[in-house]
Amino acid sequence: MASIAKLLVLLRDEDNNRIPCAARFALIQFAEQIEVLTSRIEKLDKEILAAVRKDPDARRLMSIPGVGPLIAATVRTSVLDPQGFATARDFAAWTGLTPRAQSSGGKERLGAISKRGNRQLRTLLIVGATSIIKLAKRGLKVPLWIRTMLQRRPVKVVSVALANKIARTIWALLVRGGIYQAPAAMLKS
């Protein structure tokens, strides 16, 4: 977005001859549309943040690392009755974050995630988990299981596993109440 602002300054400078007139006209149209959409997105972000701050459940959800206003708002609008799920695993399965079992002959194998359920929520949870992993690479303290898993598995696999864990934590907070507390083992390491 910063580059678009620089481009607009360059495009609106009539004395600058680096950009041909025909291209200048078309690029200004595109850049102005991007500016309008950006301002609309910023307005929507403010409205979502205000709504989340008014909702006590959404505020509690934002105490979970990786859960921001957008995820909290999405959970509150898409999960009307969290007690409709018997367990946290059922909730994670509903979002499509549990591995698909491919068992045969008594040999259990877990495959890729099922990708069934709420696609938007699943995507947001994976993005939130990925942001935690990026921060972990920069020095944020994370649980040992994430650090060891990052050493032996691809980042995307770890992101999905963490998103599954976040989904289970969301269910627990919605059903049992309270706010998120980091595991004691994570605080010591």
Side-chain angles (χ1 to χ4, degrees), residues 83-94:
Q83 299 199 356
F85 302 100
T87 64
R89 180 171 170 75
D90 292 342
F91 178 71
W94 177 74

Side-chain angles (χ1 to χ4, degrees), residues 20-134:
C21 290
R24 180 184 307 268
F25 177 76
L27 289 172
I28 285 176
Q29 298 301 316
F30 288 130
E32 287 175 351
Q33 286 179 2
I34 291 171
E35 280 183 327
V36 169
L37 289 174
T38 302
S39 66
R40 285 183 182 172
I41 290 170
E42 289 171 357
K43 182 181 176 187
L44 284 172
D45 281 344
K46 289 177 185 176
E47 289 178 17
I48 289 170
L49 185 59
V52 165
R53 286 185 176 160
K54 290 178 185 175
D55 184 358
D57 286 338
R59 280 197 319 262
R60 287 187 302 111
L61 291 178
M62 287 194 336
S63 67
I64 303 168
V67 176
L70 193 56
I71 294 174
T74 303
V75 168
R76 293 297 295 145
T77 57
S78 59
V79 181
L80 302 176
D81 181 22
Q83 299 199 356
F85 302 100
T87 64
R89 180 171 170 75
D90 292 342
F91 178 71
W94 177 74
T95 60
L97 289 169
T98 53
R100 185 179 296 164
Q102 297 171 342
S103 305
S104 175
K107 195 172 198 179
E108 252 185 67
R109 285 188 225 124
L110 296 177
I113 59 173
S114 66
K115 294 187 180 181
R116 296 185 184 187
N118 192 322
R119 182 179 188 173
Q120 181 183 19
L121 182 57
R122 178 179 60 253
T123 302
L124 289 172
L125 288 170
I126 292 172
V127 168
T130 304
S131 69
I132 291 174
I133 291 171
K134 283 184 180 178

